[in-house]
Amino acid sequence: MTEFRILGPVEVHDGRTGRRVVPSGTKQRTLLAALVVEAGRTLTVDRLTDELWGDEPPQRAANAVQAHVARLRRMLSDSGDGDWISTEPMGYLLRLGNATTDAQRFQRLSAEGRAAASTNPAHATELLERALAVWRGPALQDCLRGPLCAAEAERFEEHRLATLEKLYETRLHETRLHETRMDETRLRSAPLDDVTGELERLTYEHPLRERFYDLSMVALCLAGRPAEALGVYERARKVLLHMLGVEPGPALRARMEATIRHSPFAGLGTPPPPRGLAHDASGGTPNGTPGGISEVAALLDLGGTVARLRERVDELSREQGTLLRRIDELAAAADGGTQSREYGGAARRTRTARNSLAGQESGPVITRPMPPAA
């Protein structure tokens, strides 16, 4: 089966023969990538022009697009799989037919892994690892970064990082669930050391993703290194204050508080009873203690959701800062101009709008309420 690949260098792979077809030239790769991400939908000539040439289109853009499409058609037909690209009244359309894309394969494996996390962490780990193995490099590698490809590359990268977070959640989850069946020496074994090292690397590669700090703290606590876990929190706090002017969000602060109280696994749920111990109809153990993998998964997933919401709040805070600076510029322009009644009124209205948006004349650090202690 033919697979169009965009999670890495753009290419077409023939599953029957193993042959790879790689478009020559950046514009050919960009054209194929744009058609693949919009497969089944018509891409207008104007959108393709923007994608291939940006603000400097050729004089006869429609003819130039047509020439590039013709070249791409010949390349794909040479692969022996027929004519993939249709000419539509407004533009061009790629029909996948029986073909697939590596993006579809990644999304399917990622979704299956997430679904399995609550009932079978080992299988979920395998699925999530397979999903991430689909990637051969940055999405839409070696393509021009027009509006469409840039947005899609960013979306795919966010999905990859979310899947990576879920993979480490599941691994730590599985380790925690096996804690009741393992002695302390085995729990702090080489595989767990590998996880702590990998998560530390990820916190440096993605310094604004709080979920990686959170998971790193959990891994260090599982390895019996709570002091280092608190060091991770302090490093995260300094990075966020320096780069964004904000304190860590509720999930990360809650992890720090739990670590100080010597209960670092708060929010990870209660491990299920050893295999063979029956559960009653309410989902608890016979002595009434709640347990089960699903509870652990739900709480871990909640932590990830909180972290993502926190990132959205940070994004909105940055947008607010940009708007406040623009308002200050407008106010300064009004104050510096002719002090007529019109300009004076404009300056006053601008300052009023700024004060309403800022809410208070505090410093740049935005803090959020500390969650109640458990």
Side-chain angles (χ1 to χ4, degrees):
M1 179 181 293
T2 299
E3 182 177 72
F4 291 89
R5 295 181 171 178
I6 56 177
L7 301 182
V10 176
E11 64 182 39
V12 183
H13 181 262
D14 188 336
R16 296 167 299 182
T17 64
R19 184 184 177 209
R20 293 167 54 246
V21 179
V22 181
S24 61
T26 305
K27 284 186 171 58
Q28 285 284 288
R29 291 191 292 270
T30 303
L31 175 60
L32 178 58
L35 289 168
V36 170
V37 298
E38 290 289 300
R41 294 185 292 269
T42 299
L43 269 176
T44 65
V45 171
D46 288 343
R47 289 188 69 189
L48 288 173
T49 301
D50 288 343
E51 204 67 22
L52 297 177
W53 291 282
D55 295 332
E56 298 179 355
Q59 288 186 347
R60 296 186 172 183
N63 290 342
V65 170
Q66 184 181 31
H68 275 287
V69 170
R71 284 181 56 196
L72 187 59
R73 275 180 170 144
R74 286 195 298 271
M75 184 206 74
L76 293 177
S77 65
D78 289 344
S79 67
D81 289 308
D83 190 4
W84 299 98
I85 304 173
S86 301
T87 301
E88 303 294 316
M90 298 298 294
Y92 301 93
L93 177 147
L94 177 72
R95 300 184 189 278
L96 288 177
N98 294 326
T100 61
T101 71
D102 59 351
Q104 291 173 338
R105 183 156 52 100
F106 163 70
Q107 291 166 344
R108 174 178 56 80
L109 289 168
S110 177
E112 290 176 358
R114 289 175 175 275
S118 62
T119 56
N120 191 340
H123 183 51
T125 297
E126 178 188 353
L127 289 168
L128 293 169
E129 288 175 343
R130 286 172 55 195
L132 292 165
V134 172
W135 287 67
R136 297 164 293 112
L140 307 177
Q141 187 174 330
D142 299 331
C143 289
L144 297 171
R145 281 298 185 261
L148 176 59
C149 285
E152 287 300 307
E154 182 178 350
R155 184 176 70 85
F156 283 130
E157 176 63 9
E158 175 59 32
H159 195 171
R160 184 187 74 84
L161 291 175
T163 301
L164 193 59
E165 290 171 347
K166 191 64 178 179
L167 172 63
Y168 281 102
E169 286 177 14
T170 307
R171 284 180 177 174
L172 293 175
H173 202 182
E174 192 176 3
T175 301
R176 175 62 174 155
L177 293 174
H178 283 83
E179 188 179 24
T180 56
R181 304 167 196 147
M182 306 170 75
D183 60 35
E184 189 173 347
T185 303
R186 289 181 63 198
L187 183 61
R188 300 173 188 178
S189 58
L192 187 54
D193 290 339
D194 291 343
V195 171
T196 59
E198 291 164 8
L199 283 167
E200 180 181 20
R201 173 180 57 81
L202 288 168
T203 63
Y204 282 103
E205 291 179 358
H206 307 280
L208 301 183
R209 291 189 79 91
E210 292 189 35
R211 189 58 175 156
F212 284 137
Y213 292 109
D214 189 3
L215 294 168
S216 180
M217 292 178 69
V218 172
L220 287 167
C221 289
L222 279 171
R225 295 150 61 185
E228 293 180 50
L230 292 174
V232 169
Y233 174 84
E234 188 57 29
R235 175 162 60 86
R237 181 175 181 273
K238 290 178 179 178
V239 168
L240 293 170
L241 282 172
H242 175 71
M243 298 183 71
L244 300 178
V246 297
E247 292 279 354
L252 196 55
R253 280 183 283 160
R255 184 73 63 208
M256 178 270 292
E257 289 287 327
T259 302
I260 291 174
R261 294 195 305 268
H262 304 290
S263 56
F265 310 118
L268 290 184
T270 304
R275 189 172 299 171
L277 182 59
H279 285 67
D280 63 22
S282 65
T285 59
N287 63 4
T289 303
I293 297 175
S294 58
E295 178 187 0
V296 181
L299 289 166
L300 265 175
D301 201 45
L302 177 61
T305 301
V306 170
R308 287 189 288 275
L309 289 173
R310 164 69 170 70
E311 289 167 6
R312 178 57 179 157
V313 170
D314 291 340
E315 180 182 347
L316 291 173
S317 298
R318 291 193 293 274
E319 293 175 0
Q320 181 194 36
T322 301
L323 185 55
L324 288 173
R325 286 192 295 273
R326 179 59 179 154
I327 291 176
D328 287 339
E329 292 170 0
L330 292 172
D335 285 336
T338 303
Q339 293 299 313
S340 64
R341 179 175 301 176
E342 178 182 353
Y343 277 98
R348 285 193 298 273
R349 289 193 298 273
T350 301
R351 282 192 291 270
T352 300
R354 190 208 189 283
N355 292 336
S356 298
L357 183 63
Q360 58 181 5
E361 294 298 327
S362 60
V365 176
I366 301 173
T367 59
R368 294 170 182 79
M370 180 73 76

